[in-house]
Each structure stands twice: as C-alpha cells, then as structure tokens.
Amino acid sequence: MVPRPGPDERLSSWLGRLARLYSMPAEALLAHCGLRRFSVRELEWRLGAGEGAVLAGRTGMTVEGLRRLTFDEITPQARLMIAAASRYICPRCPAGLHRKATAFPWNFWCDEHGVRFGGKAGTGLDARLTQTQLTRLDASARSGALRLADWAQGKEEGAPAVPALLDLLTTRHRRSSPPSLAEQPILSLAARRANHDFLTRPIARQALQVVVPEYDRVAPVLAKPVRPGLF
C-alpha cells in the first residue's frame, strides 16, 4: 500500500507518510527498499536513475513521477535558498503533507487552496501587517515570486539579474548601529534582557529596510541583518 503523492508534494514528505503507514522511520524504509546508503535528504536533491528505479520498483511509482517530487529542476546556485524543512504551513493542507512551495522563501500562498501561508507557530504576515498593507504588497510579491522561481529554474530573462537585485537589497545604506527603541518592542522583555549584548552591538543597516519598509515590521530584530548577496 502506497499513498498517492499530493500536488507539489516533496519527496521527504511523501516518504515520511509512507514510512508512518508501516510504523517505521523513513531511513528504515529506504533500507528495506535497498537504499541503505542514502538519506531522504540526499534523494530529495539528487535522485539518480539507479536509485529512482529501485524506489519505483518497490512503490509502483514511475521514475519520472518520483523525480517530480524532488528539487531536480532547481539550479545549484539557487539551492542554498531552499529550506531543509517547510518554512511555512497552509491552514487547509493535511497535517504531515509538505509541499515543495513551502520550502522556497519567496512563496506566500498555497497554490492548491489559494490561501496565505502561516508560520509554524500559527501566525503569519497578517498578524504583523494590516490588510491594507498586505493588499498593497500582494501584486509585487506575486511578480517577485515568479521572477525568483524562473531564476531558480534557470529560466530568468529579466534585467537586472536576480543576483544583482539581491546584492542591492543587502548592501549597507548607512553606518551600523544598535537596534533602536522602536525596533526592540518586537521582542519580549525577557528576550531583550537575554540578548542585551546583541541589542547594544552595532548591526548593518541594509537597503532592504529602505526599499521594503515593511521588512522592519515583519523581521524580528535578531534576524537582522540579511546575509549579503545570494546568501
């Protein structure tokens, strides 16, 4: 018995559901299929013809069907932007089913249900930005997501190039300084006390905060600054 993959489901999610059906870890399932030397993570990034044929033979899937569950279409320079696990959750997707879209940092909606993703803690952007702000940003977010997806798959034809845009957003626009009092209320009092040394240390002030003012509202102080360039 093999569960059918969901739309846009990632290989690690599907193998995890299959393993739970037989009450075993995913690694034990791979070993049972004759892939003892491989991890789920390795196969999700690079499913060779040999491994694909072995897994297809044991599960009744086609090699091409299995490959659609991987990140095979993502170019090497974009893979560092893909999360090992889901970054977000869809409130309507079944628990335990993780779609490939949730691993990309530029996606904000579930294509299957048409709803905005939420955070793993149960909160999303709508908890930090007003509906008016979100509506105003939606068009830019959707076009930006399409642009980044094309770049990640090696199909980008726009100018300037995505790496150049990311370099611009992450460059410093003024001298480093500690987080201001206006930024610190994002943290709890206990967090401010626990991170006092960090909060008094100068941090880089990047162009991202000027180009996208909402970034200051959404990103926790401890998540700043963004690493430069593609990182």
Side-chain angles (χ1 to χ4, degrees), residues 125-207:
L125 287 176
D126 52 358
R128 303 204 176 182
L129 299 176
T130 67
Q131 192 58 48
T132 301
Q133 289 173 312
L134 288 172
T135 301
R136 190 171 69 245
L137 290 169
D138 278 353
S140 296
R142 290 186 186 277
S143 61
L146 290 173
R147 176 82 182 274
L148 284 165
D150 284 346
W151 166 73
Q153 296 176 38
K155 299 185 295 186
E156 187 204 9
E157 298 178 355
V162 167
L165 291 172
L166 294 174
D167 279 335
L168 168 65
L169 291 174
T170 53
T171 193
R172 294 201 309 178
H173 75 89
R174 65 179 172 87
R175 270 191 325 186
S176 298
S177 62
S180 67
L181 291 175
E183 293 172 306
Q184 294 188 27
I186 298 174
L187 300 172
S188 66
L189 179 60
R192 295 204 298 274
R193 287 173 174 168
N195 296 280
H196 179 266
D197 290 342
F198 176 87
L199 292 172
T200 55
R201 186 188 316 140
I203 62 174
R205 299 295 171 161
Q206 296 166 313

Side-chain angles (χ1 to χ4, degrees), residues 8-214:
D8 195 44
E9 186 172 10
R10 57 190 298 177
L11 184 65
S12 58
S13 170
W14 178 73
L15 286 174
R17 292 197 297 122
L18 176 58
R20 286 194 295 274
L21 186 64
Y22 290 96
S23 301
M24 63 172 66
E27 290 72 19
L29 174 67
L30 290 179
H32 178 72
C33 292
L35 299 172
R36 186 181 302 275
R37 295 186 299 107
F38 296 90
S39 69
V40 174
R41 180 68 173 157
E42 286 178 310
L43 295 178
E44 191 167 54
W45 286 113
R46 186 177 58 256
L47 184 67
E51 298 83 55
V54 169
L55 198 56
R58 297 307 300 266
T59 62
M61 293 277 289
T62 65
V63 175
E64 184 57 34
L66 290 171
R67 192 156 283 149
R68 283 196 294 269
L69 305 178
T70 71
F71 293 100
D72 183 63
E73 76 278 11
I74 303 301
T75 57
Q77 67 268 24
R79 290 188 175 183
L80 55 85
M81 301 180 76
I82 310 305
S86 294
R87 294 171 181 269
Y88 321 108
I89 58 173
C90 168
R92 298 185 186 176
C93 284
L97 191 153
H98 304 287
R99 305 187 194 279
K100 291 166 64 175
T102 62
F104 296 91
W106 52 78
N107 286 327
F108 302 99
W109 295 270
C110 175
D111 289 337
E112 185 69 15
H113 299 106
V115 298
R116 199 182 301 275
F117 285 139
K120 290 184 177 181
T123 58
L125 287 176
D126 52 358
R128 303 204 176 182
L129 299 176
T130 67
Q131 192 58 48
T132 301
Q133 289 173 312
L134 288 172
T135 301
R136 190 171 69 245
L137 290 169
D138 278 353
S140 296
R142 290 186 186 277
S143 61
L146 290 173
R147 176 82 182 274
L148 284 165
D150 284 346
W151 166 73
Q153 296 176 38
K155 299 185 295 186
E156 187 204 9
E157 298 178 355
V162 167
L165 291 172
L166 294 174
D167 279 335
L168 168 65
L169 291 174
T170 53
T171 193
R172 294 201 309 178
H173 75 89
R174 65 179 172 87
R175 270 191 325 186
S176 298
S177 62
S180 67
L181 291 175
E183 293 172 306
Q184 294 188 27
I186 298 174
L187 300 172
S188 66
L189 179 60
R192 295 204 298 274
R193 287 173 174 168
N195 296 280
H196 179 266
D197 290 342
F198 176 87
L199 292 172
T200 55
R201 186 188 316 140
I203 62 174
R205 299 295 171 161
Q206 296 166 313
L208 177 61
Q209 296 169 303
V210 177
V211 178
V212 187
E214 290 81 4

